[in-house]
Amino acid sequence: MHRKGYTLAEILITLGIIGIIAAITIQLITNAYQRIVYPNQLKAVYSRLTNAQKSINDEFGPPEDWSYSSHTRPDEGNANNLSILERYATELGAIAWTKKRGNYNYHYYGISNAPKKLNGKPATNRIKDWIGGLYEGNYGYQMLLKNGTSLAIIFSDEPGGATFWQFIAKGYYAAFIVDINGLGKPNMLGRDIFVFALTKSYSSIVPYSTDTSDCNKNEDGLSCSKKIIDDGWKMTY
């Protein structure tokens, strides 16, 4: 008698093909999900952040009236920054936040300590001089919001002598790094990590960069917050 059937090799090849197709399908579904959900989540966070800024302006005055460190009395400057930071935490409904800078503990509050640029390369301190430095635990303050979003704030003038001249040159008082899903992947600029800034001219929060030319798969992705807003809160890149 002759029995018809499949050999072990044929079965393994078939399973391998199914596995490859499944992996591709899952990735396509994940990408589609991110393109739809992430911009909506970012819009909600941005709305809360701008509303918080209006409240802070009412309490502390516009940013141009804020008292920053003179670098000769760093404790006074730091106390003011921390008062403003605490107000952000209150207005945004943070469930955890820190007054402590450094010590490589940003991932504890949901900010990845190994972010990537949109082109997939590691975001080191070479990316615009400061964003990688934040993730290396050097500069900012961070908080975790109820919806799982993590937010880091870097003031243009820091106690102890640090001044972010690229902020000053742009007329910014602070930068905000928003990771809308915390430690969840991909931890990538332009995908789940977006950057905003507090302006001197309008006392409001705007996308950090207005030049969206770097919001593509071959570049950094630092300006993707601007592109998403320009495209009607859609991820078209």
Side-chain angles (χ1 to χ4, degrees), residues 1-156:
M1 295 180 62
H2 297 283
R3 296 182 178 180
K4 296 181 179 180
Y6 298 102
T7 65
L8 178 60
E10 290 172 330
I11 293 173
L12 292 176
I13 291 172
T14 301
L15 291 175
I17 294 172
I18 292 173
I20 293 172
I21 294 174
I24 294 174
T25 302
I26 291 172
Q27 187 59 52
L28 290 174
I29 293 174
T30 299
N31 290 341
Y33 171 86
Q34 292 175 354
R35 290 181 181 277
I36 295 172
V37 175
Y38 284 3
N40 290 331
Q41 292 177 331
L42 181 64
K43 182 179 181 180
V45 172
Y46 181 64
S47 177
R48 294 188 64 184
L49 193 57
T50 53
N51 288 336
Q53 186 58 50
K54 292 176 183 177
S55 177
I56 291 169
N57 288 345
D58 290 340
E59 180 172 349
F60 291 91
E64 54 263 33
D65 294 338
W66 294 357
S67 173
Y68 291 98
S69 170
S70 65
H71 309 314
T72 58
R73 299 287 299 276
D75 291 341
E76 291 183 5
N78 192 43
N80 187 74
N81 282 353
L82 292 178
S83 296
I84 295 170
L85 175 72
E86 185 171 3
R87 177 53 61 191
Y88 277 119
T90 300
E91 291 292 328
L92 293 169
I95 58 176
W97 63 285
T98 181
K99 299 179 181 180
K100 190 175 184 180
R101 299 185 304 146
N103 290 341
Y104 302 88
N105 62 353
Y106 290 88
H107 58 283
Y108 180 78
Y109 286 96
I111 299 178
S112 170
N113 60 352
K116 295 177 290 185
K117 295 183 284 188
L118 191 55
N119 58 16
K121 296 179 180 179
T124 67
N125 57 8
R126 295 183 181 88
I127 182 170
K128 309 304 179 186
D129 297 331
W130 57 271
I131 191 170
L134 168 70
Y135 289 109
E136 291 171 1
N138 297 329
Y139 303 131
Y141 304 88
Q142 69 277 2
M143 61 185 71
L144 181 64
L145 309 185
K146 293 178 181 178
N147 63 1
T149 297
S150 53
L151 173 69
I153 302 175
I154 310 174
F155 293 105
S156 59

Side-chain angles (χ1 to χ4, degrees), residues 128 130 170 172 195-197 206-215 221-227 229-230:
K128 309 304 179 186
W130 57 271
K170 287 176 172 286
Y172 294 158
V195 188
F196 297 91
V206 300
Y208 181 81
S209 175
T210 58
D211 180 6
T212 59
S213 61
D214 87 325
C215 187
L222 186 61
S223 65
C224 288
S225 53
K226 170 66 172 173
K227 184 165 180 56
I229 293 175
D230 287 349

